[in-house]
């Protein structure tokens, strides 16, 4: 007797970006295939998504879900191509062990290789088994920008039996904030350090943020970076901002420690502000409204008041006129 599957429908109130593999397969892909159900609002259809540069198609702020029908072999585009980094993994119902389908992971390889602190476009591709999709010609793709260490965590999970989404403690908020009251920005960033669990940095940490040109750490085309800056956890040394630097310039302290206070007027931590001084001042212009504008790199450094945490800092790199 042919197996009968119960119809399931997506709740429009769900946060689709946090759905685990089982839910994506059973609620989104399976229901669309079986019942012709409508996609959630943030799902789009694009049969040619494999041959496009995701940076030109998607907003970097949130994950996107793309329904692809009928699927073709990815050919890539002038600026790069998708390549498999995690081959098919069997997705099953956790409770019953029933097979739901398969998942593979792809990464968009651009012409320039991203550093560990820059993000890369990643695609999680879901498809039903041949019993329910004989031609294997339609899939759901979850596409998002991820840091290299987040990709590593995703792959380690892919090669295990877990289908849960990325834990919140492993996902560093990638951007700074611009709150209505600027004085609240400091408390927000100190809270990020506190929530990270002290010495257990949540996603990635670098020792060279003070000794490389900031353009190697960020994507200047990233809209949210331009608005709010990029957060980078770092291990600070006594030389930071004094004797270190790189061939193209060096960070110098503009503002020494400024105390950040809690609501009860106790000192929570400190903030220092750095400016990057270019060796070649004519090299780093941006074009704004058809005019070349010299931009300045600014870095805000936050640390907690505890002595044991003085060298564990959160740096927010910004680019200003």
């Amino acid at each position: 007797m042919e197996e009968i599957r119960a119809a399931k429908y997506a709740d429009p109130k769900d946060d689709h970006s946090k759905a685990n593999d089982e839910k994506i397969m059973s609620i989104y892909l399976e229901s669309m295939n079986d019942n012709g159900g409508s996609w959630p609002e943030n799902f789009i259809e694009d049969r040619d998504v494999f041959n496009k540069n995701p940076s030109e198609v998607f907003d970097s702020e949130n994950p996107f879900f793309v329904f692809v029908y009928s699927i073709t072999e990815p050919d890539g585009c002038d600026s790069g191509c998708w390549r498999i980094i995690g081959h098919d993994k069997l997705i099953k119902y956790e409770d019953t062990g029933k097979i739901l389908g398969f998942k593979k992971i792809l990464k968009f390889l651009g012409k320039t290789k991203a550093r560990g602190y820059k993000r890369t476009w990643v695609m999680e591709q879901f498809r039903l088994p041949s019993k329910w999709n004989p031609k294997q010609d339609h899939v759901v793709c979850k596409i998002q920008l991820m840091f290299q260490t987040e990709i590593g965590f995703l792959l380690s999970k892919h090669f295990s039996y877990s289908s849960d989404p990325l834990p919140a403690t492993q996902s560093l908020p990638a951007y700074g904030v611009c709150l209505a009251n600027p004085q609240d920005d400091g408390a927000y960033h100190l809270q990020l350090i506190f929530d990270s669990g002290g010495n257990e940095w949540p996603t990635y940490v670098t020792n060279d943020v003070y000794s490389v040109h900031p353009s190697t750490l960020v994507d200047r085309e990233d809209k949210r970076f331009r608005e709010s800056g990029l957060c980078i956890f770092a291990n600070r040394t006594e030389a930071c901002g004094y004797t270190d630097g790189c061939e193209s310039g060096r960070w110098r302290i503009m503002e020494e420690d400024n105390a950040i206070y809690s609501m009860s007027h106790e000192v929570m931590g400190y903030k220092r502000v750095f400016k990057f001084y270019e060796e070649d001042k004519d090299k780093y212009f941006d074009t704004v409204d058809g005019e070349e504008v010299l931009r300045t790199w600014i870095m805000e450094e936050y640390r907690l008041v505890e002595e044991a945490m003085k060298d564990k800092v959160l740096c927010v790199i910004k680019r200003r006129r």
Side-chain angles (χ1 to χ4, degrees), residues 76-258:
C77 58
D78 292 340
S79 53
C81 59
W82 290 99
R83 287 292 180 265
I84 296 172
I85 57 174
H87 287 274
D88 279 344
K89 171 187 177 180
L90 198 61
I91 306 298
K92 302 178 180 180
Y93 276 115
E94 187 174 342
D95 295 338
T96 65
K98 173 191 164 185
I99 295 175
L100 282 166
F102 301 92
K103 169 187 171 181
K104 68 175 62 173
I105 301 175
L106 302 90
K107 180 169 72 171
F108 188 79
L109 301 178
K111 289 183 177 179
T112 58
K113 185 177 180 181
R115 289 178 62 98
Y117 323 115
K118 290 186 178 180
R119 297 190 296 167
T120 302
W121 287 100
V122 173
M123 174 189 295
E124 299 171 66
Q125 184 188 112
F126 300 85
R127 79 176 195 278
L128 296 172
S130 56
K131 180 177 181 179
W132 309 110
N133 178 21
K135 295 183 179 180
Q136 296 286 281
D137 60 352
H138 57 274
V139 297
V140 165
C141 302
K142 180 181 179 182
I143 301 174
Q144 60 185 322
L145 271 173
M146 303 184 77
F147 288 102
Q148 298 302 310
T149 47
E150 291 176 311
I151 297 173
F153 184 88
L154 181 68
L155 287 173
S156 66
K157 197 172 58 144
H158 184 73
F159 296 118
S160 72
Y161 292 100
S162 172
S163 66
D164 293 329
L166 192 70
T169 55
Q170 293 291 327
S171 183
L172 171 70
Y175 303 98
V177 293
C178 294
L179 301 177
N181 182 359
Q183 294 181 354
D184 294 336
D185 291 2
Y188 172 87
H189 290 113
L190 290 179
Q191 189 65 42
L192 290 184
I193 301 176
F194 182 81
D195 290 344
S196 73
N199 293 329
E200 298 297 327
W201 294 118
T203 303
Y204 62 93
V205 61
T206 174
N207 296 321
D208 62 4
V209 66
Y210 300 92
S211 57
V212 299
H213 194 282
S215 63
T216 65
L217 302 175
V218 305
D219 180 0
R220 287 187 289 175
E221 302 303 316
D222 187 331
K223 180 180 177 182
R224 288 194 62 192
F225 160 70
R226 295 199 303 265
E227 293 174 350
S228 307
L230 182 73
C231 296
I232 295 180
F233 278 157
N235 295 318
R236 189 180 70 162
T237 67
E238 292 300 324
C240 295
Y242 293 101
T243 60
D244 50 9
C246 60
E247 292 182 359
S248 53
R250 60 196 66 249
W251 290 104
R252 287 293 176 258
I253 298 172
M254 294 176 60
E255 299 177 19
E256 290 285 358
D257 284 344
N258 289 314

Side-chain angles (χ1 to χ4, degrees), residues 241-293:
Y242 293 101
T243 60
D244 50 9
C246 60
E247 292 182 359
S248 53
R250 60 196 66 249
W251 290 104
R252 287 293 176 258
I253 298 172
M254 294 176 60
E255 299 177 19
E256 290 285 358
D257 284 344
N258 289 314
I260 299 171
Y261 295 91
S262 67
M263 296 292 290
S264 58
H265 303 290
E266 296 180 354
V267 177
M268 299 171 58
Y270 299 94
K271 169 187 173 182
R272 290 198 300 180
V273 180
F274 296 75
K275 177 181 177 181
F276 192 82
Y277 285 85
E278 308 275 3
E279 292 292 338
D280 183 358
K281 295 184 179 180
D282 295 328
K283 188 175 180 180
Y284 293 97
F285 281 87
D286 286 347
T287 301
V288 180
D289 297 329
E291 297 183 4
E292 286 191 336
V293 177

